[in-house]
Amino acid sequence: MSQCDLRVGVVHHLNTKPLIFGLQSLAPALRVRAGAPSQLASWLRAGQLDVALVPVLEYFSRPDYGLIAESAICGDGRVRSVLLFSRVPVERARSVSLDPESLTSNALIKVLCQKRFSIEPTWVARSQNDDPSIVLKRGGSDAAVVIGNAALAMSGRFAYEYDLGQEWWHLTGLPFVFAVWAVRRGAETGDLAEVLRCSLRLGLAHLDLIADEAARSLDLDPTLCRTYLRQMIHYDLTDRAKQGMGLFFKMCAEMGICPSSPPPDLAQWLNPPFGGR
Amino acid sequence: MSQCDLRVGVVHHLNTKPLIFGLQSLAPALRVRAGAPSQLASWLRAGQLDVALVPVLEYFSRPDYGLIAESAICGDGRVRSVLLFSRVPVERARSVSLDPESLTSNALIKVLCQKRFSIEPTWVARSQNDDPSIVLKRGGSDAAVVIGNAALAMSGRFAYEYDLGQEWWHLTGLPFVFAVWAVRRGAETGDLAEVLRCSLRLGLAHLDLIADEAARSLDLDPTLCRTYLRQMIHYDLTDRAKQGMGLFFKMCAEMGICPSSPPPDLAQWLNPPFGGR
């Protein structure tokens, strides 16, 4: 019953709040640390965390990671917080700047450019301090991937806007998994899986409260926040979500974006029922 | 995910608070109603509730009840809130007054009188309005069963005091189950079982808070309340607890206190691993 020494990394975006709503209340002794998805990936890799909500791409790359919970950050169609803003129709974009906070969405845009938009743009690294609006306006790139709270806030401000969750859905008909709870194999997590399940359940019972608080603190429209949490983001790692994750892994592996051998939990799903490799 | 129309009955004693701590917070739409154990039994029987924390004796008597959760009110030795107060050593008691709020503890004292104390007292019904201290002092009976918050408050005020949980333990070496979550078979309970599990988990994370609030509102010693919740009451229906429950059922059935055919869930445990009847 004790997880006193466990260090758990959580994402500081709105989409994560329902997953972690009850976390400290259920397990006051957990050491919870918040960061951007890409930071969490580094911290877990460096051994500064035991468990973290990591970008699914990071999970793909680590054969020593296991999944600890059946909760995740998923979209099934439009997600509204993983966007490509563009000054031109995407089919004509010659350069795309990537979000420094992201790993998975940066990989997703690469997959989509090849398999859905049929373009081969130049990839531009953006630094943490670059405002993506300014980068775009100054012509630093034709298009820019923006994720999380920043994407919610920037929506509607550029001529072309593509929702990467929706584009994935058009390509595959499947949900897209953005982040999963990963644990280094062998770490003693006690009953953290159940704590995470109960935490999500508490969060789902308080979605409106979470949305309204976020709307206030991020200066967003409360209705947008409520719709976002209730309809855009899904928190259960369902079989269809696993199927979407498996397909994304295969595409990333094919394109050399991640290693070609999946972590064990994923390998298991890639064989029946989701077909061999 | 919806249990909007479910009517859930909970006991208003301190021992129940950890089980239901997160209930309304996890499922705001549940219609929760509190009462004495014996009241909950009548309400569930009358169809005024769908699920209730009922006295285990009531559960024994209803072949149409199922168990909905692996949480319960159990003791493993001394419980402090199910007491027999007596003016004489119990071996010399000729009359015992029963607690009108109780079903299970009244049955337990009958089992203990026969199998542990070897006495055959007269059973005196006490009404809801009779103060058990006054009944005892005025000689309305030699001894009196008192349960719940009233027992915690009365402790230490009579010459002889017996803890029924401890006496059961001396008799059998097993835990005693006082109350279980029962549901009428066929009732649609959605994911209430998981809600109850998460509710208990939240309660266990807040035992000190619950104890301190109860100490204030019931004017009891905070240390007593903390010890009571942390050490006296157990909330998991473990295999040993089920074994204790099965043995109590057999004794009650033998003595004609309950029907001789157990409800289906219990019947299952009475066969191996706990031995046939």
Side-chain angles (χ1 to χ4, degrees), chain A residues 71-84:
Chain A
S71 58
I73 300 287
C74 314
D76 194 2
R78 202 168 163 214
V79 293
R80 295 184 88 150
S81 62
V82 181
L83 302 176
L84 182 76

Side-chain angles (χ1 to χ4, degrees), chain A residues 1 3 21-22 24-28 191 194-195 197-199 201-202 204-206, chain B residues 1 3 21-22 24-28 191 194-195 197-199 201-202 204-206:
Chain A
M1 191 65 146
Q3 315 92 358
F21 184 77
Q24 289 282 219
S25 166
L26 283 155
D191 54 2
E194 199 186 326
V195 166
R197 204 158 42 238
C198 290
S199 171
R201 184 162 283 279
L202 260 183
L204 292 175
H206 292 85
Chain B
M1 190 64 145
Q3 316 91 359
F21 183 78
Q24 290 280 220
S25 167
L26 284 155
D191 54 1
E194 199 184 327
V195 166
R197 202 158 42 239
C198 290
S199 171
R201 184 162 282 280
L202 261 182
L204 291 175
H206 292 85

Side-chain angles (χ1 to χ4, degrees), chain B residues 3-275:
Chain B
Q3 316 91 359
C4 294
D5 296 302
L6 270 186
R7 297 159 305 168
V8 178
V10 304
V11 178
H12 55 207
H13 291 151
L14 173 57
N15 61 21
T16 303
K17 301 220 179 295
L19 290 177
I20 61 170
F21 183 78
L23 201 54
Q24 290 280 220
S25 167
L26 284 155
L30 280 185
R31 290 151 65 190
V32 177
R33 185 172 174 191
S38 57
Q39 283 178 312
L40 295 178
S42 325
W43 293 339
L44 187 63
R45 210 175 254 238
Q48 293 167 316
L49 293 172
D50 303 299
V51 172
L53 188 68
V54 296
V56 79
L57 197 81
E58 176 69 5
Y59 168 63
F60 288 168
S61 312
R62 304 285 302 190
D64 54 333
Y65 284 0
L67 293 183
I68 193 179
E70 291 289 293
S71 57
I73 300 286
C74 315
D76 195 1
R78 201 169 165 214
V79 293
R80 295 185 89 149
S81 63
V82 181
L83 302 177
L84 181 77
F85 295 98
S86 184
R87 299 183 300 143
V88 295
V90 66
E91 290 76 11
R92 282 168 33 206
R94 283 153 310 163
S95 58
V96 172
S97 96
L98 301 174
D99 192 315
E101 292 209 342
S102 162
L103 291 177
T104 299
S105 302
N106 291 342
L108 177 55
I109 191 67
K110 291 177 183 172
V111 165
L112 290 172
C113 283
Q114 183 179 100
K115 299 194 183 285
R116 178 153 168 79
F117 306 136
S118 307
I119 56 172
E120 287 181 49
T122 309
W123 306 110
V124 180
R126 202 163 73 222
S127 95
Q128 203 80 278
N129 302 320
D130 293 338
D131 179 321
S133 304
I134 295 173
V135 169
L136 270 185
K137 279 181 191 147
R138 289 201 182 140
S141 65
D142 290 338
V145 174
V146 183
I147 69 164
N149 300 345
L152 288 172
M154 252 177 81
S155 181
R157 285 166 48 193
F158 282 85
Y160 300 92
E161 181 178 310
Y162 302 85
D163 185 303
L164 300 199
Q166 190 168 28
E167 298 301 327
W168 170 260
W169 189 88
H170 281 306
L171 180 66
T172 65
L174 287 172
F176 189 84
V177 178
F178 290 94
V180 291
W181 288 107
V183 55
R184 268 196 312 277
R185 261 166 217 294
E188 288 210 7
T189 52
D191 54 1
L192 185 66
E194 199 184 327
V195 166
L196 289 172
R197 202 158 42 239
C198 290
S199 171
L200 170 59
R201 184 162 282 280
L202 261 182
L204 291 175
H206 292 85
L207 279 184
D208 288 345
L209 178 74
I210 295 171
D212 294 350
E213 276 182 6
R216 262 196 305 280
S217 68
L218 302 171
D219 196 23
L220 291 170
D221 175 47
T223 309
L224 164 68
C225 290
R226 287 183 176 212
T227 310
Y228 175 66
L229 293 183
R230 287 209 176 277
Q231 291 166 34
M232 304 291 138
I233 303 300
H234 299 268
Y235 308 95
D236 285 326
L237 202 50
T238 60
D239 282 347
R240 280 187 70 239
K242 288 176 185 169
Q243 217 171 334
M245 172 158 50
L247 185 55
F248 184 54
F249 167 78
K250 286 188 193 179
M251 292 178 178
C252 287
E254 247 173 56
M255 291 173 63
I257 300 172
C258 74
S260 60
S261 51
D265 287 347
L266 184 64
Q268 197 177 296
W269 302 330
L270 287 173
N271 290 311
F274 305 134

Side-chain angles (χ1 to χ4, degrees), chain A residues 197-225:
Chain A
R197 204 158 42 238
C198 290
S199 171
L200 170 58
R201 184 162 283 279
L202 260 183
L204 292 175
H206 292 85
L207 280 184
D208 289 346
L209 178 75
I210 295 172
D212 294 351
E213 276 182 5
R216 263 196 306 280
S217 68
L218 302 171
D219 196 23
L220 292 170
D221 174 47
T223 309
L224 164 68
C225 290

Side-chain angles (χ1 to χ4, degrees), chain A residues 41 56 99 103 139 150 188 193 261:
Chain A
V56 78
D99 191 315
L103 291 178
E188 289 210 7
S261 50

Side-chain angles (χ1 to χ4, degrees), chain A residues 113-242:
Chain A
C113 283
Q114 183 180 98
K115 299 198 185 282
R116 176 151 169 81
F117 307 135
S118 306
I119 56 172
E120 287 182 46
T122 310
W123 305 110
V124 181
R126 203 163 74 221
S127 95
Q128 203 78 281
N129 301 320
D130 293 339
D131 180 322
S133 306
I134 295 172
V135 168
L136 271 186
K137 280 182 188 145
R138 290 199 181 141
S141 65
D142 290 337
V145 174
V146 184
I147 69 165
N149 299 345
L152 287 173
M154 251 178 83
S155 181
R157 286 166 49 191
F158 282 85
Y160 301 91
E161 181 178 311
Y162 303 85
D163 185 302
L164 301 199
Q166 189 166 30
E167 298 300 328
W168 170 260
W169 190 88
H170 282 306
L171 180 66
T172 64
L174 287 171
F176 189 83
V177 178
F178 290 94
V180 291
W181 288 107
V183 56
R184 269 197 313 276
R185 258 163 220 297
E188 289 210 7
T189 53
D191 54 2
L192 185 66
E194 199 186 326
V195 166
L196 289 172
R197 204 158 42 238
C198 290
S199 171
L200 170 58
R201 184 162 283 279
L202 260 183
L204 292 175
H206 292 85
L207 280 184
D208 289 346
L209 178 75
I210 295 172
D212 294 351
E213 276 182 5
R216 263 196 306 280
S217 68
L218 302 171
D219 196 23
L220 292 170
D221 174 47
T223 309
L224 164 68
C225 290
R226 287 182 176 214
T227 310
Y228 175 65
L229 293 183
R230 286 210 176 278
Q231 292 167 33
M232 305 290 138
I233 302 300
H234 299 267
Y235 307 95
D236 284 325
L237 203 51
T238 60
D239 282 348
R240 281 186 69 239
K242 288 175 185 171

